[in-house]
Amino acid sequence: MAKELCIRIEERDIYTGAALRILSQDFNEDCAFPLVRTFTLLFESCEDEDLSDVDDSGESRESVDNYDVYQANVSAFVLWIKQMVPMASDIRVKLGSSFSPEISCEDHFSDLVSRLYQLGNRVKYSCESRKGVPVELGLDEIRDLVHISLKDKYSSGRFTHLARQNAQTLQSLYLESPRFYNLVNLIQNPGGSYVTYPCLHTLILRDHLMYDISRRSAFPGAVPFPSLRSLTLRLQYPFGDDTMFRGNSATLEGLTLTADSFFVAMVRQYGVFTPTSHPQLRCIKWEGWRELVPAAFATYAEGIRFALSIGPGASVRKIGGVLSCDQVFPALSLPGGHSSIQVLSIKSTKLDIWQAISLVKSLPLLSDLTAPFPRIGAMPYGVTRAELPKYMTSTYSPMGERFRCWHLQYCTDEDQTGDVEWMLLLALICPNFDYVATGQERRESFMEDLEWYIDLERFSSYAPRLRRLLFNGWQNC
């Protein structure tokens, strides 16, 4: 039985009573979904003006001039939802991409949303409307929200107001393309007092344009996110101090950042991350190192060392934009090392098989690696290609006992020959390596090449051990 249900509806149809007539065509009167916990009401507006006054049955839609009729229709619709999803506790109101404030009825939307809110104690608002959030959405009426999601830069100011007045109950907040001054307003009331979100555990801020922020305000004394567990900043760090990281060093578990020079300077100035701070931080994802390093670091190796110094106990590391293994290895081999890393993603770093072996050896807990497939590299002196399997097993086996999976990355113009051979060599020396993930375009040829290599004389004596890679070890990236 379904645990989630989404209904697409035009807002005015609820007010006129047409919504129940339309829905009755799909659901009988006694229809109920007792297992549904998440109910989404997706509002759209009819974009064809010639059809906007006709419902799906071809009948004309009534006007909503009579307030008593409107009240009765809304009450009937809300009662219908309550009966259909009696156990739903996650009520989501979503403004779809065609939702238009010009078509929306001016006085009723806030009242409708308030009534829907009474159905459950977990309410999420999201907006993907191309035309903005309707001005008639009465934000002052909406209280005790748990989730807010907005993908509309033109209305982010109104939704930061909504976030502030629900600060005591919000658990997750997503803002896409927010204006910088709206981020300031997120943590400061118009009167100047600071706002605290004591229950907020997930905060996502993203902007696709990545424009420069010329002015950054500092907020000494503000502790807006004391319970934050997951922070995603897909934009330049917006504040002039460590505002976002105050009070949550004991709770922060996941951090996704687009590296920028101001963030680096802020971390250094305020000492945000120390070897003993953030004991719960387990997953760190970075992007943008290729562009960042010339502005913030003397060398790429220095930049990578900085990235690895953030949350030294993290078990999942994803570093985007590094150029070569020469930038990664010096940082990984520092005294004290990064032995806690279990998952490592260095997508643009090209390794040869010997560097891959060094990487697995230096990270004893590593189980999952994402990187381009290894190049052949220089052959050991006096060792022929036919002697490689025997050489590898006698020199390195066993190693990387926890290493199990390699997510192979390919460039479109890259020669892919040799990837299967090197995966088989790793399988010979890493006893639990049995899983390779490739792109869809490589699937058939990878499996064919795998079978062909296993039948070669130099691999055939190891065939029983290697066939687990054939049967167990392929998946799309």
Side-chain angles (χ1 to χ4, degrees):
M1 294 289 289
K3 294 185 179 180
E4 297 187 13
L5 180 65
C6 176
I7 291 179
R8 178 185 177 276
I9 202 75
E10 291 186 33
E11 177 195 358
R12 184 170 56 175
D13 287 344
I14 299 174
Y15 308 146
T16 63
L20 288 181
R21 290 203 307 272
I22 296 170
L23 291 171
S24 65
Q25 299 171 11
D26 300 314
F27 304 97
N28 60 47
E29 184 177 351
D30 299 326
C31 184
F33 298 89
L35 296 182
V36 166
R37 296 295 182 268
T38 299
F39 175 76
T40 300
L41 191 61
L42 173 60
F43 285 105
E44 299 284 6
S45 295
C46 183
E47 294 187 312
D48 189 333
E49 293 183 0
D50 294 333
L51 298 178
S52 60
D53 292 324
V54 179
D55 66 20
D56 289 352
S57 65
E59 299 181 8
S60 297
R61 288 188 170 106
E62 302 93 337
S63 69
V64 288
D65 295 336
N66 188 314
Y67 187 74
D68 291 336
V69 172
Y70 150 75
Q71 288 280 349
N73 289 334
V74 170
S75 297
F77 180 77
V78 173
L79 179 62
W80 180 84
I81 293 176
K82 185 175 183 179
Q83 293 172 341
M84 187 174 65
V85 286
M87 302 304 293
S89 57
D90 191 347
I91 309 297
R92 304 185 179 192
V93 178
K94 184 175 183 178
L95 309 185
S97 59
S98 69
F99 189 87
S100 171
E102 286 76 28
I103 297 176
S104 174
C105 300
E106 294 184 357
D107 300 324
H108 304 325
F109 191 75
S110 175
D111 181 49
L112 170 61
V113 170
S114 296
R115 290 173 182 243
L116 292 171
Y117 160 71
Q118 295 172 8
L119 294 177
N121 58 4
R122 298 172 60 84
V123 184
K124 177 179 179 178
Y125 286 90
S126 62
C127 175
E128 298 175 358
S129 172
R130 297 189 299 268
K131 301 177 181 180
V133 176
V135 295
E136 65 272 13
L137 177 55
L139 302 182
D140 290 336
E141 302 295 326
I142 311 303
R143 303 280 178 174
D144 301 324
L145 298 186
V146 177
H147 309 285
I148 295 178
S149 175
L150 175 67
K151 299 179 181 179
D152 174 18
K153 64 182 178 181
Y154 300 109
S155 303
S156 57
R158 304 191 68 233
F159 267 72
T160 51
H161 168 76
L162 183 64
R164 288 199 309 267
Q165 74 180 21
N166 289 277
Q168 296 302 305
T169 56
L170 269 183
Q171 295 180 18
S172 66
L173 176 62
Y174 177 101
L175 291 176
E176 186 166 321
S177 299
R179 304 285 180 89
F180 168 61
Y181 56 81
N182 288 327
L183 294 180
V184 172
N185 293 337
L186 189 67
I187 64 172
Q188 190 171 38
N189 287 309
S193 59
Y194 294 137
V195 182
T196 298
Y197 298 80
C199 301
L200 192 72
H201 55 69
T202 302
L203 176 61
I204 302 174
L205 305 174
R206 60 184 304 156
D207 194 315
H208 299 291
L209 297 179
M210 296 303 296
Y211 52 83
D212 288 330
I213 299 174
S214 57
R215 291 186 58 194
R216 291 176 169 86
S217 300
F219 300 92
V223 185
F225 312 118
S227 302
L228 203 60
R229 297 203 297 264
S230 176
L231 173 62
T232 298
L233 294 178
R234 292 294 191 186
L235 41 65
Q236 291 189 337
Y237 185 74
F239 301 122
D241 56 16
D242 59 340
T243 295
M244 302 196 81
F245 295 93
R246 292 190 195 128
N248 51 44
S249 63
T251 61
L252 194 62
E253 300 173 358
L255 186 59
T256 300
L257 296 167
T258 298
D260 71 89
S261 56
F262 189 87
F263 176 80
V264 172
M266 183 276 295
V267 169
R268 287 172 167 170
Q269 178 180 351
Y270 290 92
V272 175
F273 297 95
T274 68
T276 57
S277 69
H278 300 85
Q280 303 302 319
L281 190 55
R282 292 292 178 263
C283 181
I284 303 175
K285 302 176 184 179
W286 290 88
E287 297 294 340
W289 284 103
R290 184 180 292 114
E291 297 77 15
L292 169 68
V293 170
F297 301 103
T299 65
Y300 281 97
E302 181 186 347
I304 298 302
R305 282 196 294 271
F306 174 84
L308 292 172
S309 71
I310 305 296
S315 59
V316 179
R317 294 277 186 178
K318 296 188 178 182
I319 305 174
V322 297
L323 299 177
S324 73
C325 57
D326 294 336
Q327 301 162 17
V328 177
F329 283 5
L332 289 173
S333 61
L334 288 174
H338 299 275
S339 58
S340 63
I341 295 179
Q342 299 174 28
V343 179
L344 179 65
S345 175
I346 40 179
K347 292 185 177 181
S348 59
T349 302
K350 293 186 177 182
L351 310 172
D352 63 32
I353 189 65
W354 317 110
Q355 292 164 334
I357 290 172
S358 297
L359 184 62
V360 174
K361 288 176 67 176
S362 66
L363 301 174
L365 299 184
L366 185 66
S367 63
D368 189 311
L369 175 66
T370 299
F373 79 87
R375 301 167 295 168
I376 294 176
M379 294 287 291
Y381 179 75
V383 178
T384 67
R385 195 70 163 260
E387 296 171 329
L388 263 180
K390 183 177 180 180
Y391 171 81
M392 297 288 279
T393 54
S394 63
T395 305
Y396 297 107
S397 182
M399 58 163 276
E401 294 188 0
R402 300 203 181 192
F403 185 58
R404 180 172 181 263
C405 176
W406 189 315
H407 294 260
L408 290 169
Q409 304 290 316
Y410 299 93
C411 297
T412 55
D413 59 346
E414 197 166 38
D415 181 8
Q416 298 175 1
T417 58
D419 58 347
V420 169
E421 182 173 9
W422 300 120
M423 293 301 103
L424 290 174
L425 291 172
L426 281 177
L428 285 178
I429 61 179
C430 299
N432 294 306
F433 180 63
D434 62 358
Y435 187 86
V436 178
T438 74
Q440 176 69 35
E441 70 285 350
R442 179 65 172 127
R443 176 180 183 177
E444 287 190 22
S445 59
F446 185 89
M447 300 303 288
E448 291 172 358
D449 291 347
L450 195 60
E451 290 190 79
W452 185 82
Y453 269 99
I454 290 176
D455 289 336
L456 290 179
E457 182 178 352
R458 64 178 183 268
F459 285 112
S460 59
S461 61
Y462 305 99
R465 180 173 173 182
L466 296 176
R467 287 193 182 280
R468 64 183 179 179
L469 199 63
L470 178 63
F471 296 116
N472 189 44
W474 179 88
Q475 180 174 314
N476 280 336
C477 285

